[in-house]
Amino acid sequence: MGIVYAGIMEDGAEVAVKRILKHEFEDTAKNELEILSRIDASKSPFIVSYQKCLEDATFVYIVLDLCEETLKEHVRTQRLEYLQDHGPGMIQEILSGIEFLHSRNILHRDLKPSNVLVDLEGHMRLADFGISRVLNEEETTVLTHAKGTRDWMPTEVIEVVDKEELGRFKKKSDVQVAGMIAFFILTKGEHPFGSVLERMINISKGNPVNLAILRDLQVRKFISWLISHNIDDRPYVPEALADPFMVHVTKSLRKVRLQISCI
C-alpha cells in the first residue's frame, strides 16, 4: 500500500519513511495513522514505532523506526538449522506483539511475513496497520468484506470471498494467520496449507497438507492448534503463549539474556 524508503532526520537519526499516494490510499493512510496513534509502541518492543506524519499535495509520509528487513526476506536468507533453533523465539515475539494489540482491542487483519519486520537487533516487529480495526467496548467481532492478502487470510474471511455477505473477524482470526507464519519460519518458507495454487482452498476446508513437515510432535501440535479450522478450537494469544512449547522458549530466552547481562 506504499513504498518504504530509508530516511535521515535533521538530527541525523535514521528512519523508515512510508510514502503513500494520497488520492489512491487516503482512507488506508488515515486508518494506519489512527491505529498508530492509539499504540504507545514504547510499551511493546514488538510493534514498529511511529514517529510523525508529513504530507504534501501528492503523498502522505509516515515516519517510522528503521528496521533491517522483512521476516519474509530474513527467512529466505537463513539456514533451516538456524530457523529451527531461533524460530521459536521469533514466534514468541510475534505472538507477544499480537497480544499487545489485542489487549488494546486492535485487530491487525493483515498479518503476513512481509508485514513483520526484523529490527537492527534481530527482534520481530509488527507493521502495516492499513486495514486494522479497533473493537469497540464489549465488541468481539468486526464484520468485514474479504480484505487481507491472498494465502494469509483466516478461514472465516476466505469463506466470504466472491460473496456479498460480510465475514466475521475476531482476535482468533489473527491467531490462525500467526500459526501460518510460525510454520513459515520453522520450515524456511513453506506454508502449512500447501502450494500457492491450493492454499486458499485448503485453508477454507481446514486441510493443512504440509503439517507433517514438522517432525517435532510438540511443535506440530502447537502449530496445529493455532491454525485450527474451527475458530472456537483456536487459542487466544495469552493461551498460546502459556503453552509448554512457548513457556520453554521464554525460560530459555531469559537464561540467555541473564548470561549476556553477566558478561
Side-chain angles (χ1 to χ4, degrees):
M1 296 182 183
I3 300 174
V4 180
Y5 299 91
I8 300 177
M9 302 293 284
E10 290 181 352
D11 63 0
E14 292 183 303
V15 294
V17 182
K18 184 174 183 178
R19 189 187 75 176
I20 302 173
L21 197 58
K22 229 176 186 182
H23 72 84
E24 287 188 9
F25 297 112
E26 188 170 10
D27 290 343
T28 301
K30 285 182 178 178
N31 186 71
E32 180 154 22
L33 286 172
E34 180 186 346
I35 296 295
L36 287 167
S37 67
R38 287 175 173 264
I39 301 172
D40 182 358
S42 66
K43 294 181 179 178
S44 173
F46 309 121
I47 304 291
V48 70
S49 183
Y50 161 69
Q51 296 193 20
K52 63 170 63 179
C53 179
L54 305 167
E55 60 180 285
D56 56 27
T58 309
F59 297 104
V60 174
Y61 305 89
I62 301 175
V63 182
L64 306 158
D65 283 349
L66 184 66
C67 289
E68 188 75 22
E69 58 189 346
T70 68
L71 175 63
K72 182 177 181 180
E73 294 164 337
H74 186 67
V75 164
R76 287 181 175 173
T77 58
Q78 300 299 330
R79 293 180 298 107
L80 178 61
E81 293 77 13
Y82 174 91
L83 294 169
Q84 290 174 340
D85 287 343
H86 296 271
M90 296 158 66
I91 294 164
Q92 187 214 44
E93 291 185 349
I94 292 167
L95 287 172
S96 296
I98 299 170
E99 181 183 36
F100 179 80
L101 293 178
H102 288 182
S103 71
R104 284 148 179 78
N105 285 331
I106 297 171
L107 305 177
H108 190 286
R109 296 180 69 227
D110 197 18
L111 292 168
K112 56 185 175 182
S114 57
N115 280 348
V116 178
L117 304 182
V118 183
D119 69 17
L120 302 178
E121 296 180 350
H123 295 297
M124 305 295 109
R125 294 212 194 184
L126 304 185
D128 204 332
F129 304 98
I131 64 170
S132 298
R133 289 292 180 272
V134 179
L135 291 169
N136 296 323
E137 203 67 36
E138 306 301 323
E139 280 186 341
T140 61
T141 306
V142 167
L143 295 177
T144 174
H145 291 290
K147 289 188 176 181
T149 302
R150 182 180 175 84
D151 300 338
W152 302 100
M153 292 179 179
T155 302
E156 47 276 12
V157 172
I158 292 176
E159 286 174 349
V160 298
V161 171
D162 298 327
K163 296 181 181 179
E164 294 183 3
E165 61 190 83
L166 298 176
R168 301 172 66 82
F169 198 105
K170 299 173 177 281
K171 290 179 180 179
K172 289 184 178 183
S173 303
D174 276 338
V175 169
Q176 189 184 33
V177 184
M180 299 179 202
I181 294 172
F183 186 92
F184 178 88
I185 294 170
L186 296 173
T187 59
K188 190 173 167 58
E190 298 293 337
H191 196 289
F193 290 97
S195 67
V196 173
L197 293 177
E198 59 186 1
R199 282 176 199 164
M200 295 288 276
I201 293 174
N202 283 337
I203 295 170
S204 68
K205 292 182 177 179
N207 185 25
V209 295
N210 277 345
L211 263 185
I213 294 176
L214 296 173
R215 303 232 176 145
D216 187 309
L217 295 182
Q218 184 184 34
V219 176
R220 190 190 303 179
K221 181 180 178 182
F222 178 72
I223 300 295
S224 180
W225 188 29
L226 268 57
I227 65 173
S228 295
H229 182 65
N230 187 332
I231 192 168
D232 293 330
D233 293 336
R234 298 172 211 155
Y236 288 104
V237 178
E239 294 173 317
L241 287 169
D243 184 83
F245 173 57
M246 285 286 98
V247 170
H248 174 72
V249 171
T250 300
K251 288 180 179 178
S252 298
L253 289 174
R254 283 176 181 166
K255 184 177 179 180
V256 170
R257 287 164 185 160
L258 180 61
Q259 290 173 341
I260 291 173
S261 66
C262 292
I263 295 175

